[in-house]
Amino acid sequence: MRTPAAPLTKDIAGLAALFATSGTTHLVKPEVFEPLVPKSLPRRREIVYLSGVAELVCAAGLVHPRTRRYAGWASAALLVAVAPGNVQMSANYGKRAQRRQDTSSRVAFAATLARLPLQLPLIRTALKASRRP
């Protein structure tokens, strides 16, 4: 006898929505994400598209009970994989804030810094999804 699937919780649904939004943005406006890809990697646009598709696949997998466990593991791995890009984004905004010395650049830099520790609860949520029957 099969164990019934656990209902979709708000935090897992929120993670799926975040992935869906970000994945769509990767595909529609890839130029926003290209500066986050290390310069040493070739075909940066393709990497941005690939990460967008991966986010959309994770989003879809998280909402479906049969794929939630696997999507949880994949989501956690994806969040770890993109963490260096988030650090790079903060570094880029920090350099811009130093050059421009205006309020909007400083606010944008502060926002990217504030975003970095948010990766941990997102990863925790993805791992929670990986344990859902």
Side-chain angles (χ1 to χ4, degrees):
M1 184 190 259
R2 221 176 195 185
T3 305
L8 183 64
T9 60
K10 288 181 184 179
D11 56 346
I12 295 171
L15 180 60
L18 181 72
F19 274 141
T21 302
S22 180
T24 300
T25 306
H26 276 72
L27 300 178
V28 174
K29 305 252 333 149
E31 64 276 4
V32 171
F33 299 96
E34 285 180 28
L36 310 181
V37 178
K39 291 178 181 12
S40 61
L41 294 176
R43 305 178 77 164
R44 294 164 79 189
R45 172 79 44 116
E46 288 84 352
I47 290 171
V48 170
Y49 285 142
L50 182 63
S51 63
V53 169
E55 287 180 323
L56 292 171
V57 168
C58 285
L62 287 168
V63 297
H64 196 282
R66 285 191 179 170
T67 56
R68 189 169 299 138
R69 176 173 285 162
Y70 302 108
W73 285 113
S75 297
L78 181 59
L79 288 163
V80 169
V82 300
N86 293 330
V87 172
Q88 183 63 54
M89 183 186 336
S90 287
N92 292 349
Y93 275 90
K95 289 175 189 172
R96 185 178 304 153
Q98 281 182 330
R99 279 194 317 270
R100 293 187 182 169
Q101 295 291 318
D102 65 338
T103 302
S104 64
S105 294
R106 289 184 192 140
V107 168
F109 175 51
T112 63
L113 284 177
R115 179 178 179 228
L116 291 176
L118 295 176
Q119 291 294 111
L120 293 175
L122 294 176
I123 292 169
R124 191 176 313 119
T125 299
L127 292 174
K128 175 184 171 184
S130 74
R131 295 186 297 269
R132 304 290 286 181

